Amino acid sequence: MRTNIVAGNWKMNLNFEEADDLINNIVEFIEEESLENIGVIVCPPAVYLELATDHAQDNDLYVGAQNLSNHESGAYTGEISARMLSSMAVSYCIIGHSERRKYFNEDHAMLAEKVNRALHYDIVPIFCCGELLPEREAGTHFEVVKKQLEESLFHLQVGDFANVVIAYEPVWAIGTGVNATPDQAQEMHAFIRNLVADKYGAEPAENTSILYGGSCNAKNAKELFANPDVDGGLIGGASLKSDDFIKIIQSF
Ligand code: 13P
């Protein structure tokens, strides 16, 4: 059975004190509730990863990074390797986010390398895919997402693929306040699950968690998560306020 997941992508936000407060509030909630089959992940900026992993000991909170290098190690000033993350109890990493594709020119081949690095160190990639607004308007959104998965994920053997989480994040919905409708999300998530089934078989497809991201918030999460192929969310803005993030977790 696949796991429902709510992951917070803090992006480049919060100072140390704010990050500490946020994580404390989330931990308090997690320790009070017994969450059944829901994984809660926080993905803070890299400088706060140790703060997060310290708080995530002895409870059901998981920590993810927002990025890792496609290189193993060496003279890459400013970069962070999968080996470093894994040695700090970081268990997830966002890979393929549209902001990294756009601002840092991360292409399909580089993302495939990042996925490989992560898996080699037992870090679960949260692999993001999703189309731009003109692509949706042109009706090419299924093709675009298919190519993103084929080029950066589908080289994996089935055993490795079992350790991947997919996040569908239509770029036009990210930070815009315009979320995909529940029907649009379900349609794409079912399409993605079918692609996985064609490539790896019915069981791996059934077991893959597919998250929705893009203006998902405390108000619309319930309706989005109610769809059979939407297994949770990758949350940006609404993950920065503990009340909102907790309401999203409670939307299952
Ligand atoms: P928003 O929730 O702010 O739209 O961001 C979504 C996102 O990019 C998560 O990775």
Side-chain angles (χ1 to χ4, degrees), residues 9 11 94 97-99 128 169 173-177 213-216 234-238:
N9 175 7
K11 307 191 181 182
I94 298 170
H97 195 283
S98 61
E99 288 149 18
C128 302
E169 298 207 311
I174 296 178
T176 58
S215 298
C216 181
L234 179 56
I235 318 298

Side-chain angles (χ1 to χ4, degrees), residues 185-195 210 229:
Q186 169 57 25
E187 187 184 33
M188 183 58 88
H189 284 227
F191 173 76
I192 292 170
R193 203 176 302 286
N194 278 333
L195 288 178
I210 308 177
D229 289 296

Side-chain angles (χ1 to χ4, degrees), residues 1-249:
M1 191 172 72
R2 58 186 181 259
T3 320
N4 290 319
I5 294 174
V6 177
N9 175 7
W10 296 4
K11 307 191 181 182
M12 195 174 74
N13 291 296
L14 308 180
N15 69 14
F16 184 83
E17 204 183 321
E18 292 159 346
D20 193 34
D21 280 351
L22 178 52
I23 202 121
N24 269 317
N25 291 341
I26 295 168
V27 164
E28 210 171 284
F29 166 76
I30 286 187
E31 289 181 346
E32 273 168 19
E33 303 283 312
S34 49
L35 299 172
E36 297 263 322
N37 194 36
I38 304 176
V40 179
I41 306 169
V42 288
C43 302
V47 284
Y48 307 142
L49 282 171
E50 192 173 2
L51 171 76
T53 52
D54 280 351
H55 279 82
Q57 279 175 31
D58 307 322
N59 56 41
D60 289 332
L61 180 66
Y62 294 89
V63 177
Q66 295 177 16
N67 183 33
L68 51 73
S69 172
N70 56 320
H71 298 288
E72 173 63 28
S73 66
Y76 299 101
T77 302
E79 288 289 86
I80 293 172
S81 73
R83 180 164 179 262
M84 293 171 191
L85 295 174
S86 138
S87 70
M88 292 178 59
V90 171
S91 34
Y92 291 83
C93 185
I94 298 170
I95 295 177
H97 195 283
S98 61
E99 288 149 18
R100 300 238 29 121
R101 292 178 192 260
K102 178 176 176 189
Y103 301 125
F104 302 94
N105 302 318
E106 296 193 358
D107 61 14
H108 298 310
M110 181 191 278
L111 296 175
E113 286 172 6
K114 290 190 178 206
V115 166
N116 295 344
R117 293 270 172 232
L119 289 169
H120 182 75
Y121 285 101
D122 293 328
I123 293 170
V124 175
I126 302 175
F127 182 81
C128 302
C129 56
E131 78 285 358
L132 305 167
L133 184 59
E135 292 166 339
R136 177 156 284 260
E137 286 173 345
T140 57
H141 44 296
F142 293 116
E143 254 169 70
V144 168
V145 168
K146 184 173 183 222
K147 187 162 177 71
Q148 290 170 336
L149 298 177
E150 282 177 350
E151 299 283 325
S152 305
L153 273 192
F154 284 0
H155 62 285
L156 296 174
Q157 299 296 312
V158 64
D160 275 338
F161 187 83
N163 297 316
V164 171
V165 169
I166 295 175
Y168 169 57
E169 298 207 311
V171 181
W172 46 269
I174 296 178
T176 58
V178 182
N179 59 288
T181 64
D183 285 350
Q184 286 172 324
Q186 169 57 25
E187 187 184 33
M188 183 58 88
H189 284 227
F191 173 76
I192 292 170
R193 203 176 302 286
N194 278 333
L195 288 178
V196 175
D198 286 348
K199 172 76 188 169
Y200 294 108
E203 206 184 318
E206 271 309 304
N207 291 336
T208 302
S209 298
I210 308 177
L211 315 184
Y212 169 77
S215 298
C216 181
N217 58 36
K219 291 208 176 83
N220 58 28
K222 206 176 185 72
E223 232 189 327
L224 286 160
F225 297 174
N227 288 289
D229 289 296
V230 179
D231 308 312
L234 179 56
I235 318 298
S239 73
L240 297 172
K241 293 201 182 113
S242 51
D243 285 356
D244 287 353
F245 191 59
I246 287 166
K247 276 191 200 131
I248 295 171
I249 298 167

